[in-house]
Amino acid sequence: MKWRSCLFLLCLAGCEMLGTKSETPGELRIAFSGDYNEFTRSVAEIPDTSEFIISITDSKGKVHYHGKYGDCPESVELSPDTYRIKAVSAEFEKPAFSKPQYGDEQYVVVPEGGVADVSLLCRQLNSGVRLSISKDFLTE
């Protein structure tokens, strides 16, 4: 009788080691909040959110999506994990003093077989001051 129990446990453990233990993928849905009062009051025109760059990264650093929000599917099927969702209106390789950058970054847990909804708020992310110092200033 003991050998049957051992055989059953070995089979069960062997199946899990072979990867037959299945996780039901979860679903991630991303949207922008309709409340645009979060923008700075000096902005005359609200950026087009369909042009924002969306990045979905898992807890191990693997990027699952990087592209325009307008091209992103309404629902992204993902393995259960914690994901970083980042949205920016523009990506900069060097400072752009006259161009504001808007966006948001949030972390969300996608549950097994469940749905995680993310509502992004647009805020200005960058700011800076550009100083030009003349030679006269340095001598005085």
Side-chain angles (χ1 to χ4, degrees):
M1 192 69 164
K2 286 184 180 182
W3 65 271
R4 287 184 188 175
S5 299
C6 289
L7 184 61
F8 174 74
L9 290 174
L10 282 173
C11 287
L12 183 62
C15 289
E16 284 186 20
M17 289 170 42
L18 290 174
T20 57
K21 182 181 176 186
S22 65
E23 288 183 341
T24 306
E27 209 177 309
L28 175 66
R29 296 187 296 209
I30 303 170
F32 281 90
S33 170
D35 183 12
Y36 291 108
N37 292 329
E38 293 292 323
F39 285 104
T40 180
R41 303 212 189 287
S42 65
V43 174
E45 188 175 315
I46 297 171
D48 181 6
T49 56
S50 67
E51 295 295 316
F52 276 48
I53 306 299
I54 299 286
S55 180
I56 302 171
T57 309
D58 67 21
S59 62
K60 295 173 187 78
K62 180 181 176 190
V63 177
H64 292 267
Y65 181 81
H66 184 84
K68 289 184 179 183
Y69 174 68
D71 296 337
C72 185
E74 283 184 33
S75 177
V76 180
E77 192 174 280
L78 297 167
S79 299
D81 199 357
T82 301
Y83 292 88
R84 180 185 82 159
I85 292 54
K86 184 175 181 182
V88 291
S89 59
E91 294 179 306
F92 299 122
E93 291 183 19
K94 61 182 184 175
F97 294 102
S98 61
K99 188 172 184 180
Q101 182 188 48
Y102 297 94
D104 192 11
E105 180 177 347
Q106 294 185 26
Y107 289 84
V108 64
V109 175
V110 174
E112 184 175 347
V115 177
D117 290 312
V118 176
S119 182
L120 299 170
L121 296 173
C122 292
R123 296 182 193 98
Q124 186 170 351
L125 302 175
N126 65 341
S127 63
V129 176
R130 185 178 199 177
L131 296 175
S132 295
I133 300 174
S134 70
K135 290 181 182 183
D136 295 335
F137 177 79
L138 296 174
T139 58
E140 291 181 21

